[in-house]
Amino acid sequence: MLLLAAAFLVAFVLLLYMVSPLISPKPLALPGAHVVVTGGSSGIGKCIAIECYKQGAFITLVARNEDRLLQAKKEIEKHSINDKQVVLCISVDVSQDYNQVENVIKQAQEKLGPVDMLVNCAGLSLSGKFEDLEVSTFEKLMSVNYLGSVYPSRAVITTMKERRVGRIVFVSSQAGQLGLFGFTAYSSSKFAIRGLAEALQMEVKPYNVYVTVAYPPDTDTPGFAEENKTKPLETRLISETTSVCKPEQVAKQIVKDAIQGNFNSSIGSDGYMLSALTCGMAPVTSITEGLQQVVTMGLFRTIALFYLGSFDSIIRRCMMQRAKSEIADKTD
């Protein structure tokens, strides 16, 4: 009986592997494709642009700082694989004025053709205790991290649907899967991207347009270095429980998942576990992906409880140390 059950399980898994390609999207060919990267002047965005350029894409870099854009352009051009490739730079704040964003996207399409892939990588991280953060901080992060992804996506979606081809990538964060101490403003803005992406994927899938949400961990970028300057002690100690990734590693995975049309893009074992734990009603690219989520959910939830317990312990220790310091200061 056990052998029969095992044989049935093996046959079922093999069937899933055979059927999966039938429901998976056709990979996007990057040679000659037009890829727009917001926040492309540094960090993960710049590395994504380099990765796409290495595969033959034409690149439009969008960011605010003109000097850093030109420097990034020079770096990217070193990786060309043919003489026809172009790197176009556009200086604009993608979170402020939709009409302005729409106009610069039109300019880019006039020069390099319709956008085949949009990577929304413009973002900002500010941390602090909920009561210590100014209300303007919440407004700013929602503007940059959420609306800064809405505006460019809105500007390219009509053409993508008309052409029946396209990829839209939203770069969220592991803090967009798990709310952490000190990230009440940041996490909420990154969680919002997930809701946008799920709803948008349901709308555009019939038009052969696929959405990818990337959840990178802490990554060694200029933005991460700036973020660390103001992190609360608790946030920093929790962050240190995992390693810091290289932006090149993160970029390669994001580009790979976007080409394949995968909805989730995660990095490392922690990222895989978080994506499985938080999959909810998120779309899957293959039957096997859904099966893996079902099978691993119980185990990953058990592991997650230990993580949450350790985070609570860190917060309690910090609170006790702070209380002892206050008592010591009063007695001096």
Side-chain angles (χ1 to χ4, degrees):
M1 192 69 177
L2 288 175
L3 287 175
L4 183 62
F8 177 78
L9 180 60
V10 171
F12 180 64
V13 171
L14 288 173
L15 178 63
L16 288 178
Y17 273 103
M18 288 189 293
V19 173
S20 291
L22 300 178
I23 65 167
S24 299
K26 182 181 178 181
L28 178 71
L30 278 187
H34 181 191
V35 178
V36 175
V37 184
T38 71
S41 62
S42 64
I44 294 174
K46 183 177 71 175
C47 290
I48 288 175
I50 290 173
E51 185 64 25
C52 292
Y53 204 64
K54 285 179 179 179
Q55 298 186 41
F58 289 67
I59 305 295
T60 295
L61 290 179
V62 181
R64 292 176 298 175
N65 190 298
E66 288 188 27
D67 292 336
R68 284 195 294 184
L69 273 171
L70 293 175
Q71 182 60 40
K73 173 184 168 73
K74 293 178 181 178
E75 291 183 46
I76 294 166
E77 287 176 337
K78 295 176 183 178
H79 300 276
S80 64
I81 63 172
N82 62 66
D83 296 334
K84 295 181 180 180
Q85 284 178 276
V86 176
V87 179
L88 176 66
C89 293
I90 297 177
S91 177
V92 68
D93 186 338
V94 294
S95 67
Q96 292 300 308
D97 184 345
Y98 171 70
N99 290 328
Q100 190 177 16
V101 173
E102 186 179 38
N103 287 334
V104 298
I105 293 294
K106 285 181 179 178
Q107 292 172 21
Q109 293 191 120
E110 288 171 1
K111 293 180 179 180
L112 300 183
V115 177
D116 297 290
M117 181 191 296
L118 167 68
V119 182
N120 292 291
C121 203
L124 176 67
S125 176
L126 297 171
S127 58
K129 290 183 181 178
F130 181 66
E131 66 273 19
D132 294 337
L133 292 171
E134 297 291 339
V135 171
S136 60
T137 299
F138 289 84
E139 295 170 344
K140 184 175 184 178
L141 288 183
M142 284 301 294
S143 176
V144 174
N145 295 340
Y146 178 67
L147 293 179
S149 293
V150 170
Y151 293 166
S153 302
R154 179 66 179 77
V156 303
I157 197 66
T158 300
T159 304
M160 284 186 176
K161 289 172 70 175
E162 289 173 351
R163 296 175 61 231
R164 296 293 200 275
V165 63
R167 298 286 191 271
I168 295 179
V169 181
F170 296 101
V171 179
S172 179
S173 164
Q174 286 188 351
Q177 297 172 296
L178 167 67
L180 292 174
F181 187 106
F183 281 155
T184 51
Y186 179 65
S187 281
S188 54
S189 67
K190 290 297 188 177
F191 266 84
I193 290 175
R194 162 78 176 264
L196 167 65
E198 286 192 9
L200 182 59
Q201 177 64 98
M202 194 174 289
E203 290 186 17
V204 301
K205 186 176 180 180
Y207 297 89
N208 194 40
V209 177
Y210 287 87
V211 175
T212 297
V213 187
Y215 299 103
D218 286 341
T219 306
D220 186 13
T221 65
F224 180 65
E226 191 66 27
E227 171 192 328
N228 278 338
K229 294 179 181 178
T230 58
K231 267 184 182 175
L233 177 61
E234 294 89 340
T235 311
R236 181 165 54 80
L237 292 175
I238 290 173
S239 295
E240 289 173 357
T241 59
T242 59
S243 59
V244 178
C245 287
K246 294 291 184 183
E248 295 83 3
Q249 174 192 2
V250 173
K252 284 184 179 181
Q253 187 63 52
I254 292 174
V255 172
K256 178 182 177 182
D257 287 323
I259 289 172
Q260 296 297 326
N262 295 335
F263 183 77
N264 279 296
S265 180
S266 58
I267 292 85
S269 56
D270 285 347
Y272 177 78
M273 182 180 73
L274 271 174
S275 291
L277 277 170
T278 60
C279 60
M281 290 290 287
V284 293
T285 311
S286 68
I287 296 175
T288 50
E289 180 187 359
L291 179 63
Q292 288 168 359
Q293 291 168 351
V294 171
V295 171
T296 58
M297 182 68 73
L299 173 63
F300 286 167
R301 178 56 177 167
T302 303
I303 297 172
L305 292 175
F306 283 98
Y307 270 98
L308 291 171
S310 68
F311 296 162
D312 286 341
S313 178
I314 288 171
I315 294 166
R316 284 196 299 271
R317 287 201 308 269
C318 289
M319 188 174 71
M320 291 171 63
Q321 289 174 3
R322 201 169 284 115
K324 288 179 181 178
S325 297
E326 290 175 359
I327 292 173
D329 290 340
K330 289 178 181 179
T331 56
D332 287 343

